[in-house]
Amino acid sequence: MKRLKENIARHIKLSASDLEQFCNLFTQKRIKKKEFLLREGEVCRFEAFVLKGLIRVYYVDANGFDKVMYFAAEDWWVTDIDSFTNGMPSQLYIEALEDSELLLISKTDKDGAYESIPAVEKLFRIMTQKTHVALQRRMIDNLSKTADQRYLDFTGKYPMLSQRLTNLQVAAYLGISHEFVSRIRKKIALDKKS
């Protein structure tokens, strides 16, 4: 719970008793690499905080290709917000790319926390705003930057994350071919040698 408490403290201030009460609403879950937390068609009944591991959130397009919405590593949150909020069947898959440990909170418990600990609603408002900003920036980048620029931005912003991902996974996130990612990585490695 220490990591979760530190994450919360970066966003809001809670009394020790409120923090303990809120954290006690979470249940720990371990999942193995390639195991799914959620599959398309299921209703997402959790919001999760990643303690350890790496998760990808993606959908499969009409041509059968994976399109990665985002990755979630340690200290990040993961859910299908549409399915979780509206109780609708998910269009997404949430899969572990590494053996992972998460803390999950249900919608019922989260909504209850909004009532009993009003600052929790502020916590999730702040996190939602940050997510919206990140998604807006990503959309602008996808519309205005070249594939090379998007790749360099991604590896510059998330250097440790990019080292844990395959070319195929990075390509599915950036919307480019894995061959293109391979060429960029080789070019960068050659540039560093010279």
Side-chain angles (χ1 to χ4, degrees):
M1 291 289 174
K2 181 176 184 258
R3 187 178 285 232
L4 176 61
K5 289 176 180 178
E6 290 170 350
N7 181 276
I8 292 166
R10 281 197 296 276
H11 300 289
I12 62 167
K13 182 153 181 59
L14 286 177
S15 70
S17 62
D18 283 350
L19 184 60
E20 204 61 38
Q21 180 186 346
F22 179 57
C23 289
N24 286 337
L25 298 174
F26 288 79
T27 56
Q28 191 164 359
K29 183 171 182 74
R30 288 184 169 89
I31 60 171
K32 298 282 186 196
K33 180 179 180 175
K34 296 188 179 182
E35 189 176 334
F36 288 88
L37 275 170
L38 182 74
R39 293 178 189 269
E40 179 183 22
E42 298 173 349
V43 174
C44 183
R45 304 203 183 278
F46 64 86
E47 192 155 344
F49 177 74
V50 181
L51 292 172
K52 177 183 171 215
L54 182 59
I55 307 293
R56 76 173 172 147
V57 179
Y58 69 99
Y59 68 95
V60 179
D61 73 10
N63 297 316
F65 293 106
D66 293 356
K67 301 294 183 177
V68 175
M69 303 290 293
Y70 65 94
F71 299 102
E74 293 83 5
D75 209 33
W76 292 12
W77 293 81
V78 63
T79 193
D80 174 340
I81 195 65
D82 184 14
S83 180
F84 180 77
T85 302
N86 299 312
M88 302 293 294
S90 180
Q91 297 177 317
L92 304 176
Y93 294 87
I94 301 178
E95 178 188 19
L97 295 177
E98 301 172 354
D99 290 350
S100 301
E101 294 177 24
L102 304 109
L103 293 172
L104 277 63
I105 188 168
S106 69
K107 182 166 184 359
T108 302
D109 285 342
K110 184 180 172 186
D111 289 345
Y114 286 168
E115 296 298 320
S116 62
I117 313 166
V120 169
E121 195 160 14
K122 179 180 180 183
L123 167 71
F124 284 98
R125 177 183 51 81
I126 290 167
M127 292 190 320
T128 299
Q129 287 171 331
K130 288 181 178 186
T131 299
H132 281 257
V133 168
L135 288 172
Q136 179 177 308
R137 288 177 181 170
R138 182 165 178 221
M139 288 176 64
I140 291 168
D141 286 351
N142 283 347
L143 294 170
S144 64
K145 292 185 176 180
T146 66
D148 289 46
Q149 289 171 317
R150 292 195 316 268
Y151 176 81
L152 292 172
D153 287 350
F154 176 73
T155 57
K157 189 172 185 179
Y158 307 111
M160 298 308 289
L161 183 59
S162 63
Q163 293 172 15
R164 295 162 70 178
L165 298 169
T166 66
N167 287 355
L168 197 59
Q169 292 162 344
V170 172
Y173 176 78
L174 295 176
I176 57 180
S177 73
H178 68 279
E179 294 88 359
F180 188 79
V181 172
S182 182
R183 281 195 300 273
I184 293 173
R185 283 184 167 175
K186 284 178 187 171
K187 181 181 181 298
I188 290 169
L190 287 173
D191 288 348
K192 285 182 180 178
K193 288 181 182 178
S194 52

